[in-house]
């Protein structure tokens, strides 16, 4: 359930739906396909972890500071009963989370920004003479590398509509928000590398299969 939530949340939310609707000039079908395939891909990804449970520690379990452990629990938290104490506890927790997760977000953003500044001509040129499967894989790889915000990635995907087939654009829209450089970097703050690797590979395979099968059935033409 946690993996499904983690995979679906960036793809399926009102802001993403509205931005996709705007980017594709009010094409409700594109929005619907992104939602349905996004939900299906997230659910299947989560079910793979249910069918084959990890036999290792998923959480890294690193301590945040001397007051709060890796699970986010403060010492003597149960003894706090007053409104002022709860507010202070909230601020302490927020501060610890900010310093613990913030550095990973900054590093991931820096890497993705550096790659974006180099342009996307390399991906566009790679599409020359490619098959449909290869085009989908290239656009999914682009979604991972560029690490765009899920509320604006539809605009970028729309700009590639003349170079890539619709199926490839949909692969970009579904997989990109689920797993990219920023997300992977942030996940490393609380999850083991083995779990992150499995999640990324599984999400890529499931999203690719969902888009490719849907196209072969006559969709996204």
């Amino acid at each position: 359930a946690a993996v499904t939530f983690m995979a679906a949340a960036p793809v399926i939310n009102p802001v993403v739906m509205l931005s996709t609707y705007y980017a594709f000039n009010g094409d409700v079908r594109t929005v619907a396909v992104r939602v349905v395939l996004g939900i299906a891909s997230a659910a299947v990804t989560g079910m793979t972890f249910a069918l084959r449970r990890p036999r290792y520690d998923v959480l890294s379990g690193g301590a945040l500071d001397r007051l709060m452990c890796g699970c986010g629990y403060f010492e003597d938290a149960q003894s706090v009963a007053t409104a002022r104490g709860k507010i202070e506890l909230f601020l302490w927790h927020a501060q610890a989370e900010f310093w613990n997760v913030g550095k990973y977000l900054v590093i991931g953003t820096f890497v993705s920004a550096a790659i974006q500044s180099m342009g996307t001509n390399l991906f566009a040129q790679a599409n020359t003479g490619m098959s449909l499967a290869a085009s989908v894989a290239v656009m999914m790889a682009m979604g991972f590398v560029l690490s765009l915000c899920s509320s604006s990635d539809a605009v970028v995907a729309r700009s590639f509509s003349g170079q890539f087939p619709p199926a490839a654009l949909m692969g970009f829209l579904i997989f990109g928000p689920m797993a990219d450089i920023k997300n992977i970097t942030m996940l490393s703050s609380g999850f083991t590398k083995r779990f992150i690797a499995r999640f990324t590979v599984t999400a890529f395979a499931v999203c690719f299969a969902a888009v490719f099968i849907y196209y072969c059935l006559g969709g996204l033409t």
Side-chain angles (χ1 to χ4, degrees):
V3 171
T4 301
F5 174 83
M6 184 169 61
V11 186
I12 312 303
N13 61 72
V15 177
V16 172
M17 295 177 189
L18 291 174
S19 65
T20 305
Y21 179 84
Y22 170 79
F24 286 86
N25 300 321
D27 187 358
V28 179
R29 183 167 175 262
T30 300
V31 179
V33 171
R34 185 180 190 183
V35 170
V36 172
L37 293 185
I39 292 176
S41 298
V44 173
T45 301
M47 289 182 65
T48 61
F49 282 85
L51 296 175
R52 186 178 180 183
R53 293 180 175 272
R55 297 181 179 179
Y56 49 86
D57 292 333
V58 173
L59 301 178
S60 59
L64 298 181
D65 56 25
R66 66 183 183 86
L67 295 177
M68 189 172 75
C69 68
C71 64
Y73 181 80
F74 275 92
E75 295 180 1
D76 302 326
Q78 293 180 338
S79 62
V80 177
T82 63
R84 179 178 178 179
K86 292 180 179 180
I87 293 175
E88 291 179 350
L89 187 63
F90 163 76
L91 294 176
W92 291 342
H93 197 142
Q95 180 184 22
E97 289 285 353
F98 175 80
W99 290 112
N100 182 64
V101 179
K103 59 178 177 287
Y104 294 97
L105 178 61
V106 171
I107 294 173
T109 302
F110 174 80
V111 174
S112 62
I115 295 175
Q116 290 179 41
S117 66
M118 299 176 185
T120 55
N121 291 332
L122 178 63
F123 291 98
Q125 294 173 1
N127 183 51
T128 305
M130 277 191 173
S131 63
L132 174 66
S135 296
V136 174
V138 166
M139 281 298 287
M140 290 175 64
M142 185 190 300
F144 178 86
V145 171
L146 295 183
S147 301
L148 301 172
C149 177
S150 60
S151 61
S152 60
D153 60 355
V155 178
V156 177
R158 176 66 172 154
S159 67
F160 285 101
S161 59
Q163 299 170 291
F164 289 87
L169 301 181
M170 190 57 60
F172 176 88
L173 293 175
I174 294 177
F175 177 70
M178 288 187 186
D180 57 30
I181 293 176
K182 293 199 306 293
N183 289 344
I184 297 305
T185 307
M186 292 185 65
L187 286 176
S188 64
S189 65
F191 294 90
T192 60
K193 294 180 180 179
R194 190 174 179 182
F195 169 81
I196 296 174
R198 177 181 172 182
F199 171 76
T200 304
V201 173
T202 302
F204 186 94
V206 171
C207 291
F208 178 87
V211 172
F212 192 75
I213 291 174
Y214 180 78
Y215 178 87
C216 291
L217 293 177
L220 301 177
T221 55

